[in-house]
């Protein structure tokens, strides 16, 4: 329940038992389907509400606004948000720095209690948050459920990890001394979150920072600020003190850059495109007057992910895995399969059966639970259509390629497959971030592995094979941060699959893993002579 004046409970919650992933919702159960439909209906009356900036606990308005819309029905306003600029960046950092003085000195049990309280609130209101995801970013029921479940998982997992980290000690005690090793928070930092997992990734980055004792300026994507606003309301209900998380939607060029460049910003946690991530990294590396530390950047960027299907594979399983990985949430995942690499002996049969499988997928309003909903906005759709036109010149279109018109003007794109794609083709190298799959024929496993490694990215990958020697070689040589055998390359589970990639996919910050909180802390060694 809310706690007066933002103070935390004097009897903090502690985790009950070992961490376990939040179970998925079975929408074949009529009661679950009823609750989801009811949640969608109930949210309609809340669409179009206006939300304030929250800086130091105070709610503020700006002249300029951000209008979040439903990408399935662009005329439907989801939320009106304030547009923070450079002036608000200074105020937000000042509030975060003030809050850090006290928040950094709270006990780990108090910070853990906040996360567990927030997780409990979200769990009780799971269908409500699913509905917000459907309206704001176009997720169908299963994708929305997975996003909410992952947000709960991050809160529960990082709570336990914070307690484990608090129990750290030196490997040995030097004779005649009392030796300690402990981890202290970094300071005030920025969390810049994406629109494609606007709940899970936003909540995960924010909760990792604050449970470690840091304070945050939270800048959500302008395409998905409403779900972030609702999460901050949950934190307030759970008892977060003023200024620990400052909610500030804003433009990247003004507000975002101002926070990144601020001399008191200690860290920037970012998930998004390669171009923006590299710009943040460059801006953060430039020392500002008054800056006394090297800013830490925690970056999760793009991917051009491959599934390699060997001739000895279970083809039925491989087709299901490729289709799910390529077209789940309309391919708008950095982990999505955008390249299927198929060995020659099964190539022709595979693409025909994949085409048949994809032809059964439906495209439409995610509130009605279609397989594919809209892509996020008109600009993204235009970019995808340009890539499709490039693909038509380079390869053979065997499915999709069209943006179907709808009465509500949604940003829809058919699941699209190109066959006979050269490994160095544009659609085989550039991240499209939509439902567009390039199928590449290779002569054998060795060539397939070379093709899988021929991009600048290194996020996820999968191999379907029954040959243990091939799997073992892929374990060593398939150069991605998250590799899967005989399953899809999306759907990383917190705790089981720590998530983060190599090369231009980011700084290999393993979200949902045992070393993630180290990125938000610094180690301090103390030795006392006895």
């Amino acid at each position: 329940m809310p706690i007066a004046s933002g103070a935390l409970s004097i009897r903090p919650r502690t985790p009950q038992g070992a961490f376990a992933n939040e179970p998925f919702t079975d929408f074949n159960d009529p009661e679950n389907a009823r609750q989801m439909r009811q949640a969608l209906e109930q949210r309609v009356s809340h669409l179009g509400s206006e939300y304030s900036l929250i800086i130091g606990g105070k709610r503020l308005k700006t002249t300029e606004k951000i209008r979040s819309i439903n990408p399935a029905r662009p005329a439907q306003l989801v939320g009106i948000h304030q547009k923070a600029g450079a002036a608000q960046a200074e105020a937000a950092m000042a509030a975060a720095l003030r809050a850090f003085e006290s928040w950094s000195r709270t006990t780990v049990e108090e910070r853990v209690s906040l996360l567990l309280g927030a997780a409990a609130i979200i769990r009780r209101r799971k269908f409500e948050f699913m509905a917000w995801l459907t309206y704001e970013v176009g997720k169908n029921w299963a994708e929305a459920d997975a996003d909410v479940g992952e947000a709960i998982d991050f809160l529960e997992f990082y709570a336990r990890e914070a307690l484990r980290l608090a129990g750290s000690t030196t490997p040995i005690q030097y004779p005649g001394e009392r030796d300690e090793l402990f981890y202290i928070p970094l300071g005030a930092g920025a969390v810049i979150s994406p629109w494609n997992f606007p709940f899970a990734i936003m909540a995960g980055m924010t909760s990792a920072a604050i449970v470690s004792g840091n304070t945050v300026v939270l800048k959500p994507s302008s395409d998905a600020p409403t779900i972030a606003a609702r999460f901050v309301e949950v934190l307030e209900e759970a008892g977060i003190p003023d200024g620990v998380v400052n909610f500030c939607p804003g433009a990247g060029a003004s507000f975002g850059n101002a926070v990144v460049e601020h001399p008191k910003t200690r860290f920037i946690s970012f998930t998004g495109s390669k171009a923006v991530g590299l710009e943040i990294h460059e801006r953060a590396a430039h020392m500002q007057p008054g800056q006394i530390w090297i800013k830490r950047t925690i970056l999760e960027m793009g991917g051009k992910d491959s599934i390699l299907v060997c001739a000895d594979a279970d083809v039925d399983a491989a087709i299901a895995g490729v289709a799910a990985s390529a077209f789940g949430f309309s391919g708008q995942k950095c982990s999505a399969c955008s390249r299927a690499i198929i060995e020659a002996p099964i190539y022709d049969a595979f693409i025909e059966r994949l085409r048949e499988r994809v032809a059964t997928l439906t495209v439409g309003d995610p509130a009605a639970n279609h397989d594919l909903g809209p892509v996020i906005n008109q600009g993204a759709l235009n970019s995808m259509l340009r890539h499709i036109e490039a693909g038509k010149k380079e390869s053979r279109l065997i499915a999709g390629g069209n943006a179907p018109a709808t009465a509500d003007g949604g940003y829809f794109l058919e699941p699209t497959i190109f066959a006979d794609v050269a490994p160095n083709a544009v659609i085989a190298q550039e991240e499209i971030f939509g439902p567009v799959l390039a199928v590449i024929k290779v002569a054998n496993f060795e060539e397939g592995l070379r093709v899988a490694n021929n991009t600048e990215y290194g996020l996820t990958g999968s191999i379907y094979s029954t040959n243990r020697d091939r799997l073992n070689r892929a374990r060593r040589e398939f150069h991605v941060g998250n590799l899967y055998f005989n399953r899809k390359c999306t759907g990383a589970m917190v705790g089981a699959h720590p998530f983060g990639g190599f090369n231009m996919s980011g700084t290999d910050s393993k979200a949902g893993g045992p070393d993630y909180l180290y990125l938000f802390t610094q180690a301090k060694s103390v030795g006392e002579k006895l």
Side-chain angles (χ1 to χ4, degrees):
M1 63 181 178
I3 298 167
S5 71
L8 287 172
S9 170
I10 59 172
R11 300 180 64 185
R13 298 176 179 87
T14 55
Q16 300 298 309
F19 171 76
N21 296 110
E22 185 72 10
F24 293 118
T25 302
D26 178 8
F27 291 106
N28 291 317
D29 182 332
E31 176 57 20
N32 289 334
R34 184 197 67 78
Q35 288 192 61
M36 184 63 186
R37 286 192 292 269
Q38 182 183 56
L40 287 163
E41 291 167 3
Q42 290 174 340
R43 289 309 98 205
V44 170
S45 63
H46 297 272
L47 295 176
S49 298
E50 185 166 358
Y51 300 83
S52 300
L53 302 179
I54 304 175
I55 296 177
K58 297 178 180 178
R59 281 163 163 74
L60 306 170
K61 295 267 198 301
T62 61
T63 303
E64 289 191 84
K65 310 294 180 184
I66 295 171
R67 287 171 168 77
S68 174
I69 63 171
N70 180 351
R73 303 176 176 218
Q76 187 175 60
L77 191 62
V78 175
I80 301 170
H81 295 263
Q82 314 312 307
K83 190 173 185 178
Q88 287 77 31
E90 184 62 41
M93 279 303 303
L97 289 165
R98 284 194 302 271
F100 180 73
E101 293 302 312
S102 55
W103 182 246
S104 61
R105 290 171 170 79
T106 57
T107 66
V108 66
E109 290 81 9
E110 288 176 303
R111 300 195 298 266
V112 163
S113 179
L114 176 74
L115 266 60
L116 297 177
I121 293 167
I122 296 165
R123 191 177 287 112
R124 289 196 302 269
R125 295 163 51 190
K126 183 183 280 191
F127 288 97
E128 173 190 329
F129 286 107
M130 290 184 211
W132 281 116
L133 287 162
T134 297
Y135 284 125
E136 188 159 48
V137 296
K139 295 206 168 192
N140 68 15
W141 298 4
E143 293 288 348
D145 176 49
D147 200 332
V148 176
E150 189 175 18
I152 295 170
D153 282 353
F154 278 134
L155 291 163
E156 292 276 358
F157 182 78
Y158 292 145
R160 289 165 173 79
E161 285 301 297
L163 291 173
R164 181 185 64 80
L165 198 62
S168 298
T169 186
T170 56
I172 68 167
Q173 290 290 308
Y174 191 73
E177 290 187 358
R178 180 185 295 111
D179 298 311
E180 299 175 90
L181 178 69
F182 51 94
Y183 291 84
I184 64 174
L186 296 173
V191 169
I192 302 174
S193 59
W195 56 262
N196 64 330
F197 285 86
F199 200 14
I201 293 178
M202 176 273 306
M205 293 194 296
T206 302
S207 62
I210 64 176
V211 81
S212 303
N214 305 289
T215 56
V216 163
V217 176
L218 171 59
K219 181 198 154 337
S221 166
S222 295
D223 284 308
T226 307
I227 194 70
R230 293 287 173 171
F231 175 67
V232 174
E233 290 174 0
V234 167
L235 294 179
E236 291 179 322
E237 184 177 346
I240 194 168
D242 294 344
V244 174
V245 174
N246 301 278
F247 174 67
C248 298
S254 55
F255 182 83
N257 287 348
V259 173
V260 169
E261 294 173 351
H262 196 287
K264 297 297 184 182
T265 298
R266 185 62 182 83
F267 65 91
I268 303 100
S269 183
F270 166 80
T271 299
S273 71
K274 181 191 81 170
V276 175
L278 291 178
E279 181 181 355
I280 287 172
H281 193 60
E282 183 177 2
R283 288 180 182 275
H286 184 73
M287 186 172 161
Q288 302 292 333
Q291 181 178 326
I292 62 171
W293 46 59
I294 300 171
K295 295 176 184 176
R296 187 171 297 179
T297 55
I298 305 156
L299 309 173
E300 200 278 286
M301 303 191 295
K304 192 65 180 175
D305 310 303
S306 300
I307 293 180
L308 171 57
V309 183
C310 299
D312 60 83
D314 178 336
V315 175
D316 289 337
I319 289 170
V322 168
S325 299
F327 302 117
F329 190 40
S330 298
Q332 298 174 114
K333 303 177 183 181
C334 53
S335 59
C337 172
S338 59
R339 312 194 315 165
I341 303 168
I342 315 299
E343 283 195 44
I346 61 169
Y347 178 81
D348 291 334
F350 186 93
I351 60 173
E352 179 57 26
R353 291 181 58 187
L354 179 64
R355 186 191 63 77
E356 292 171 356
R357 173 65 175 261
V358 172
T360 68
L361 300 177
T362 61
V363 181
D365 192 335
N369 205 24
H370 285 277
D371 297 306
L372 281 77
V375 299
I376 190 61
N377 56 40
Q378 185 66 57
L381 178 59
N382 292 343
S383 175
M384 294 169 201
L385 291 172
R386 287 193 295 271
H387 278 97
I388 287 171
E389 289 306 307
K392 290 176 181 178
K393 298 173 183 176
E394 297 177 314
S395 50
R396 178 164 57 102
L397 179 67
I398 64 169
N402 300 307
T406 66
D408 296 308
Y411 310 125
F412 295 98
L413 182 63
E414 295 172 339
T416 299
I417 305 173
F418 286 97
D420 307 339
V421 179
N424 61 348
V426 169
I427 60 170
Q429 292 294 319
E430 294 185 4
E431 186 179 34
I432 302 172
F433 219 71
V436 181
L437 175 68
V439 186
I440 302 168
K441 179 174 16 177
V442 293
N444 49 44
F445 169 75
E446 287 73 17
E447 183 184 359
L449 195 56
R450 287 196 301 273
V451 171
N453 287 330
N454 79 344
T455 78
E456 64 181 348
Y457 297 102
L459 187 52
T460 75
S462 175
I463 176 171
Y464 281 83
S465 175
T466 55
N467 184 307
R468 179 51 57 183
D469 290 338
R470 288 180 168 184
L471 297 180
N472 286 338
R473 184 173 170 191
R475 181 181 282 106
R476 296 189 305 270
E477 299 180 23
F478 199 147
H479 195 61
V480 293
N482 287 76
L483 179 63
Y484 304 99
F485 294 160
N486 295 310
R487 55 148 284 181
K488 63 180 183 173
C489 66
T490 57
M493 299 301 295
V494 172
H497 313 123
F499 188 82
F502 304 152
N503 299 348
M504 286 297 170
S505 290
T507 54
D508 192 34
S509 51
K510 289 295 189 184
D515 57 353
Y516 191 64
L517 294 190
Y518 292 113
L519 301 173
F520 296 89
T521 59
Q522 49 195 345
K524 188 170 186 177
S525 173
V526 177
E528 179 181 0
K529 185 173 179 62
L530 299 176

